[in-house]
């Protein structure tokens, strides 16, 4: 593998993308500088995926668990979900997010400070025009106080600072200029601006288990996770934002026929969607058993406070691992079916 990589890099070493001048060394910089990386590569713009395809493609296939990369098919119709998470599932909250970037601009690892501000301005114009339950306000990161940031981070609403992988990739340059968060009144629809991607569009809401003893939930009680409502809000948000870009900025989400929606990190290609529940897992599972069981169900396990965090108080973040090669509805259905299987292991 190392020999192959050396060959790839020597063939590509004189290349640069036309938009941001991203080289193959820029692509692998994070993985080289941070030894704990598990993926280690980032794209600085759309062209990286084409110019350095021999490097990216094996990583994409391995991460998403596919042998071939089919044409991307999207399905953002919540009515196509065939079942829901069972009522008694001890779900504390449900969240669905997609990663998106604007076509024609460098991605966060490759973009200049000036262009980043231009992206922010295009995004904010589109976001401030949202209506109904999606309407809200944009808060530039540097105008938030430390306690506001802390509260938003602890609530699971805001990205954290100092991601060492992103820093090594060049994503955190000029921090915090051009970054921010948009959210509606209830904090059920949120958009992160210029973090790992130009946009992370997020829909989330608490389940009733958030305020109750999970084991006292009766079969008649309302479901702990209204996945359909969360997905529906996300889909409306994605479609409305893309339309606004086309109308006001003559641009749209960066997209490739096979790789789907293009993201900075190859783990987020395709749908760009991670649908997660925070679930209070029955005590009979230890971390390793849970991870292995989830792997078999095509699910990923994280801690409660994001990717790098550990589980706390038996609460885990369980989500789809794969994002490319299947539709949004299929991936969400995998999460629903997986959680329904997981809760049967309780007894
Ligand atoms: P990403 O979702 O963008 O891959 P992370 O795993 O770091 O990134 O999660 C980002 C934030 O979202 C974290 O603060 C995490 O606690 C919060 N989060 C993720 N899933 C849920 C959920 N189901 N309910 C509430 N908060 C969540
Ligand atoms: N670059 C990091 C690594 O290789 C993160 C990979 C996936 N996560 C992400 N947020 N893109 O471990």
């Amino acid at each position: 593998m190392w020999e192959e990589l050396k060959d790839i890099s020597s063939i590509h070493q004189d290349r640069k993308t036309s938009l941001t001048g991203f080289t193959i060394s820029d692509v692998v910089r994070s993985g080289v500088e941070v030894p704990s990386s598990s993926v280690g590569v980032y794209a600085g713009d759309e062209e990286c995926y084409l110019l350095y395809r021999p490097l990216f493609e094996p990583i994409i296939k391995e991460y998403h668990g596919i042998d071939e990369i089919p044409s991307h098919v999207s399905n953002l119709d919540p009515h196509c979900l065939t079942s829901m998470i069972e009522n008694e599932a001890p779900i504390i909250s449900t969240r669905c997010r997609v990663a998106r970037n604007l076509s024609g601009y460098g991605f966060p690892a490759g973009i200049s400070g000036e262009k980043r501000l231009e992206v922010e301005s295009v995004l904010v114009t589109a976001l401030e025009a949202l209506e109904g339950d999606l309407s809200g306000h944009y808060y530039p990161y540097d105008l938030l106080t430390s306690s506001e940031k802390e509260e938003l981070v602890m609530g699971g609403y805001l990205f954290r600072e100092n991601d060492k992988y992103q820093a090594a990739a060049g994503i955190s340059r000029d921090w915090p200029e051009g970054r921010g968060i948009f959210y509606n009144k209830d904090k059920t629809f949120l958009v992160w601006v210029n973090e790992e991607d130009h946009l992370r569009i997020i829909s989330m809401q608490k389940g009733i288990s958030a305020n109750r003893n999970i084991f006292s939930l009766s079969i008649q009680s309302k479901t702990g996770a209204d996945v359909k409502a969360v997905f529906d809000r996300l889909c409306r948000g994605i479609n409305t934002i893309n339309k606004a870009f086309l109308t006001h900025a003559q641009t749209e989400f960066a997209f490739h026929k096979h790789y789907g929606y293009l993201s900075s990190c190859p783990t987020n290609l395709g749908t760009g969607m991670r649908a997660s529940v925070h679930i209070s897992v029955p005590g009979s599972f230890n971390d390793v058993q849970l991870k292995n069981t989830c792997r078999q169900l095509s699910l990923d396990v994280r801690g409660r406070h994001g990717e790098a965090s550990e589980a706390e108080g038996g609460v885990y973040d369980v989500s789809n691992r794969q994002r490319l090669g299947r539709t949004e509805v299929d991936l969400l259905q995998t999460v629903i079916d997986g959680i329904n299987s997981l809760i049967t292991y309780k007894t």
Side-chain angles (χ1 to χ4, degrees):
M1 181 69 184
W2 183 241
E3 287 306 312
E4 261 175 57
L5 273 178
K6 274 208 308 209
D7 287 349
I8 293 170
S9 79
S10 63
I11 294 167
H12 291 81
Q13 70 183 353
D14 297 326
R15 297 186 174 183
K16 272 178 189 294
T17 60
S18 40
L19 189 62
T20 66
F22 225 66
T23 64
I24 197 152
S25 313
D26 296 327
V27 171
V28 300
R29 177 158 294 120
S30 186
V32 171
E33 286 186 12
V34 189
S36 61
S37 295
S38 59
V39 182
V41 293
Y42 289 91
D45 56 39
E46 309 175 46
E47 197 190 345
C48 284
Y49 286 109
L50 308 179
L51 204 57
Y52 309 121
R53 184 175 151 190
L55 171 69
F56 276 110
E57 219 160 273
I59 297 174
I60 295 170
K61 288 181 180 167
E62 186 181 326
Y63 178 84
H64 297 280
I66 50 179
D67 295 329
E68 289 307 319
I69 304 180
S71 290
H72 180 74
V73 180
S74 219
N75 183 352
L76 291 173
D77 182 357
H79 297 104
C80 296
L81 292 168
T82 52
S83 60
M84 291 297 126
I85 292 181
E86 297 292 338
N87 284 347
E88 66 269 34
I91 305 295
I92 292 158
S93 56
T94 307
R95 174 179 183 265
C96 238
R97 62 83 167 154
V98 293
R100 291 286 188 272
N101 288 283
L102 277 187
S103 183
Y105 289 92
F107 294 171
I111 199 165
S112 67
E114 194 187 335
K115 285 283 171 190
R116 188 187 301 107
L117 291 176
E118 195 176 313
V119 167
E120 182 189 35
S121 146
V122 169
L123 300 187
V124 172
T125 307
L127 294 173
E128 298 276 2
L130 290 171
E131 293 176 347
D133 62 336
L134 305 179
S135 79
H137 291 294
Y138 178 69
Y139 303 87
Y141 191 79
D142 50 1
L143 297 187
L144 292 170
T145 64
S146 320
S147 62
E148 282 168 339
K149 283 181 205 154
E150 176 69 7
E151 209 175 299
L152 287 168
V153 168
M154 292 320 285
Y157 302 114
L158 181 62
F159 47 80
R160 282 167 183 265
E161 284 188 21
N162 305 325
D163 180 306
K164 60 184 175 200
Y165 306 102
Q166 292 183 13
I171 291 176
S172 326
R173 278 170 300 118
D174 313 314
W175 188 269
E177 198 175 70
R179 280 77 176 191
I181 182 171
F182 168 94
Y183 55 84
N184 67 358
K185 179 169 64 62
D186 298 329
K187 297 204 192 76
T188 52
F189 183 71
L190 307 98
V191 180
W192 293 355
V193 170
N194 285 328
E195 195 243 5
E196 184 174 313
D197 292 285
H198 294 155
L199 294 131
R200 287 288 170 96
I201 307 175
I202 303 162
S203 170
M204 60 197 284
Q205 70 192 47
K206 291 193 172 24
I208 50 168
S209 307
N211 304 317
R212 294 179 56 176
N213 175 347
I214 53 161
F215 295 110
S216 72
L217 286 179
S218 74
I219 230 73
Q220 287 82 22
S221 60
K222 285 201 309 189
T223 182
D226 195 344
V227 178
K228 200 168 183 176
V230 171
F231 186 55
D232 175 69
R233 195 185 304 113
L234 177 79
C235 298
R236 286 187 290 112
I238 296 172
N239 290 331
T240 321
I241 292 172
N242 201 32
K243 269 195 213 127
F245 290 155
L246 273 173
T247 318
H248 301 293
Q250 285 83 50
T251 183
E252 55 188 326
F253 297 140
F255 182 82
H256 178 269
K257 190 170 181 287
H258 289 271
Y259 300 146
Y261 292 99
L262 297 175
S263 49
S264 294
C265 176
T267 62
N268 284 316
L269 288 171
T271 60
M273 187 182 86
R274 193 173 83 86
S276 61
V277 292
H278 277 181
I279 180 165
S280 180
V281 172
S284 49
F285 270 113
N286 65 35
D287 280 13
V288 176
Q289 285 166 331
L290 179 69
K291 279 196 177 133
N292 290 341
T293 308
C294 283
R295 249 319 154 85
Q296 284 162 18
L297 296 167
S298 305
L299 300 174
D300 212 7
V301 183
R302 295 182 176 184
R304 187 174 188 168
H305 293 293
E307 199 169 12
S309 68
E310 297 298 322
E312 255 175 35
V315 177
Y316 294 82
D317 170 322
V318 178
S319 66
N320 57 302
R321 177 176 171 82
Q322 184 182 0
R323 320 205 204 291
L324 172 140
R326 294 171 65 211
T327 69
E328 294 81 356
V329 163
D330 283 350
L331 294 173
L332 183 53
Q333 195 64 56
T334 298
V335 176
I336 294 170
D337 296 342
I339 296 295
N340 287 340
S341 297
L342 200 60
I343 59 174
T344 63
Y345 295 116
K346 185 168 70 180
T347 42

